[in-house]
Amino acid sequence: MRGNAPIVVVGGGMAGLCTALAAAPRPVVLLSRAADGEGSASTLAQGGIAAAIGAGDSIDAHVADTLLAGAMHNDPGRVRMLAAAAAEAIEWLQEHGTEFDRDGAGLQLGREGGHHHARIVHAGGDASGARVMAALSAEARSATHIDWRSGVEADALVLRDGRVAGVRLDQDGRNEILMSSAVVLATGGVGALFARTTNPVGANGSGLALAMAAGAQLQDMEFVQFHPTALDLEEAHSLPLVTEALRGVGARLRDGNGKAIMDGLHPLGDLAPRDIVARRVWQENQTGGTVSLDARALEIHWERAFPTVLATCLGHGIDPRHMPIPVSAAAHFHMGGLPVDDLGRTSLDGLYAVGEVACNGVHGANRLASNSLLECVVFGRRLGSHLREQQSVRHDGGCLLVERGAGLHSDDLRLLRETLWQAAGPIRTAQNLQHGIDTLAPLLARGWQARLGQSLLAAALRRTTSIGAHWRDDAVINPVSRSRPNRSISHSIRH
Ligand SMILES: Cc1cc2nc3c(=O)[nH]c(=O)nc-3n(C[C@H](O)[C@H](O)[C@H](O)COP(=O)(O)OP(=O)(O)OC[C@H]3O[C@@H](n4cnc5c(N)ncnc54)[C@H](O)[C@@H]3O)c2cc1C
């Protein structure tokens, strides 16, 4: 095969779109399960994008906050690269059609947990992801170098001469091989492998599983961030997010008796780091208690400031202006994934990764709020520009198809999700992790999700110290980890 094959980008979220747009004029085939960002985490993002552009703020301060949140497990060079590129990333998004919320002459800047400055650029109040995705999707649709094919599932990688040279698609049961000059995985996170998540159901690590089947290295699989305030809908798996910004303007977390649950636990109270609040909420739920977010006293313009939260709550019969919002902890973001270099290269020649599926070290052991959309834009653009300049590759050898394999059936999938939630949720112990591994053992031959879940559990078992979002209740406390939660609760696995 000659080297005029397209770049194949798997994933139509923010990372995939930024990569595809930046690769112009090289031909790109963009693959996604649904059209125009539907089903992506990017579209659900509420808070916004971090950029140190406000008065008194600096790149150094953004770097410092990111490293602190990440428990210094981050790659400092990449963190600086991220923070330094933020202002230009915001300008680029504006040039590509996003209208961010303004404050007089400049952009309105919000503040979120872990940030020492107001630096969150947002659009449509709490509809930031949807607004940016709408603008980028329109650009991608009209870009002549992009052939966007939605309604497809990439389920195998093609290897040639020891290099990733294409993907196999499944479209309504029909298979097609697509050869490529480079394959970019922009397939998002793994939240949907847990029983409770803020992620869309498609955030199931399918890209990770593809790369894993082909022998790619994985890194930091155990680092999963849990969000403390997902809307607690009984029996639901994918839960709507109730943005942290509500606590930023004064909403309080309360137990079933109306007692403020963060009082006395951390100097920042309800705005303590996300992992600490999530553990507290999880503990309350594990012992049968309920937690709600009380926003009744807030003097805010709900329709303008929190239109997404308001509409979602009202849609479930909860009026947050007059009733406390029931909340649950939920799996939110995966810091681990495919280790990549500055340009998004994975350990497999010809295979790249960007966005949440990648582990490029910017988030360390715990992501700072609003840094992940920034990562998608900054590293997506870098990768797209790199691929644009790449020399064509000539393939001559025979092809080898590496399949991800069958997926779990619904009962097994439910068991997997419950197992990960109980064993690898916000609070972990060796005993529960081992029990989780044993529970999944019979499932390993039945579906790729089990193999992925197993690698997460094994990584969590291996890391015996608590750091960032990885909390081992049986660990010797790590000096950079923060306040221990109430230890009086036992954490047995329930199925
Ligand atoms: C509710 C919520 C709120 C958030 N709020 C913020 C925020 O305010 N700020 C912030 O910085 N971050 C936020 N995050 C995190 C952030 O949204 C995500 O980390 C980021 O959007 C991930 O982008 P991505 O492009 O990597 O993946 P996604 O946006 O999830 O896109 C993945 C794409 O891959 C496709 N795909 C997956 N597997 C396959 C396959 N096998 N074949 C074909 N296509 C496939 C999917 O169809 C989808 O198009 C939030 C996350 C959630 C869930």
Side-chain angles (χ1 to χ4, degrees):
M1 191 195 74
R2 302 286 160 194
N4 56 359
I7 298 161
V8 170
V9 176
V10 186
M14 214 172 284
L17 291 179
C18 292
T19 306
L21 286 167
R26 285 285 296 271
V28 173
V29 178
L30 178 63
L31 306 174
S32 62
R33 289 168 171 156
D36 293 341
E38 199 190 316
S40 69
S42 300
T43 301
L44 300 180
Q46 296 183 356
I49 304 179
I53 56 176
D57 200 358
S58 66
I59 291 167
D60 282 349
H62 189 178
V63 168
D65 286 346
T66 304
L67 292 174
L68 192 64
M72 309 303 279
H73 187 70
N74 325 54
D75 178 325
R78 301 264 173 81
V79 173
R80 183 157 293 278
M81 208 180 263
L82 178 81
E88 204 203 326
I90 298 298
E91 277 172 27
W92 184 83
L93 288 173
Q94 289 175 301
E95 284 161 17
H96 284 76
T98 301
E99 290 184 18
F100 289 109
D101 297 333
R102 301 190 75 82
D103 204 353
L107 295 180
Q108 207 177 67
L109 298 175
R111 186 161 169 191
E112 287 182 342
H115 291 272
H116 284 88
H117 292 270
R119 63 166 75 101
I120 314 303
V121 178
H122 47 87
D126 62 1
S128 302
R131 293 287 178 95
V132 177
M133 283 297 291
L136 292 179
S137 298
E139 290 270 310
R141 286 252 167 254
S142 60
T144 51
H145 72 289
I146 299 177
D147 171 13
W148 192 346
R149 296 182 56 181
S150 51
V152 300
E153 173 82 18
D155 67 356
L157 292 176
V158 180
L159 267 62
R160 201 172 206 180
D161 302 334
R163 185 173 194 282
V164 175
V167 297
R168 185 180 69 185
L169 316 181
D170 179 293
Q171 183 160 27
D172 301 327
R174 276 183 300 111
N175 284 336
E176 182 187 338
I177 300 280
L178 203 56
M179 299 305 287
S180 65
S181 59
V183 173
V184 177
L185 294 176
T187 47
V190 300
L193 295 181
F194 289 77
R196 314 221 90 192
T197 182
T198 60
N199 290 190
V201 284
N204 57 3
S206 75
L208 264 186
L210 268 180
M212 197 165 98
Q217 283 172 17
L218 305 180
Q219 189 177 319
D220 289 350
M221 287 294 288
E222 65 275 34
F223 291 117
V224 179
Q225 182 175 78
F226 297 91
H227 201 289
T229 56
L231 186 61
D232 190 3
L233 303 174
E234 222 170 309
E235 302 299 326
H237 166 230
S238 177
L239 307 171
L241 183 74
V242 181
T243 176
E244 188 165 292
L246 262 176
R247 276 176 285 134
V249 293
R252 307 291 317 269
L253 283 164
R254 301 189 189 281
D255 66 15
N257 298 317
K259 186 173 170 292
I261 62 169
M262 291 307 296
D263 279 358
L265 260 187
H266 191 277
L268 290 174
D270 289 278
L271 280 178
R274 212 170 255 184
D275 55 314
I276 295 174
V277 186
R279 285 197 288 274
R280 181 70 190 91
V281 173
W282 196 79
Q283 279 185 317
E284 196 64 32
N285 289 158
Q286 288 296 98
T287 51
T290 58
V291 179
S292 59
L293 186 67
D294 188 354
R296 289 173 294 180
L298 302 186
E299 291 179 11
I300 49 172
H301 191 295
W302 274 92
E303 287 81 359
R304 199 164 46 231
F306 299 105
T308 309
V309 173
L310 179 65
T312 307
C313 287
L314 289 176
H316 289 93
I318 302 151
D319 185 340
R321 295 164 297 195
H322 307 294
M323 304 155 75
I325 308 168
V327 292
S328 162
H332 186 56
F333 182 83
H334 195 205
M335 278 72 72
L338 295 165
V340 290
D341 68 7
D342 287 0
L343 294 169
R345 287 181 285 225
T346 70
S347 60
L348 296 182
D349 203 14
L351 185 69
Y352 298 76
V354 66
E356 197 167 333
V357 67
C359 178
N360 65 11
V362 293
H363 305 299
N366 204 4
R367 173 188 71 116
L368 181 67
S370 288
N371 264 354
S372 40
L373 294 184
L374 179 61
E375 176 197 7
C376 291
V377 183
V378 170
F379 288 93
R381 288 181 65 206
R382 277 181 70 86
L383 173 54
S385 308
H386 166 71
L387 294 175
R388 182 182 64 213
E389 305 302 333
Q390 279 300 92
Q391 295 297 319
S392 297
V393 178
R394 187 193 159 108
H395 299 295
D396 287 316
C399 287
L400 175 71
L401 199 61
V402 183
E403 300 181 340
R404 190 180 54 205
L408 291 175
H409 288 295
S410 56
D411 284 351
D412 286 343
L413 198 52
R414 246 192 311 277
L415 176 60
L416 167 87
R417 288 172 178 164
E418 194 58 29
T419 301
L420 285 188
W421 181 236
Q422 296 298 341
I427 298 179
R428 302 160 174 185
T429 64
Q431 193 189 357
N432 285 355
L433 288 164
Q434 187 56 57
H435 184 80
I437 288 170
D438 297 342
T439 305
L440 292 194
L443 273 53
L444 295 180
R446 305 216 279 266
W448 56 265
Q449 297 96 331
R451 297 190 285 280
L452 196 57
Q454 189 81 327
S455 75
L456 196 156
L457 290 169
L461 184 62
R462 278 195 303 272
R463 191 176 293 277
T464 53
T465 51
S466 289
I467 170 170
H470 170 70
W471 187 267
R472 283 285 300 261
D473 217 31
D474 51 355
V476 176
I477 207 160
N478 183 303
V480 289
S481 286
R482 297 155 297 210
S483 97
R484 281 185 95 74
N486 177 355
R487 309 263 342 254
S488 62
I489 296 165
S490 75
H491 311 289
S492 58
I493 296 190
R494 300 175 312 181
H495 291 298

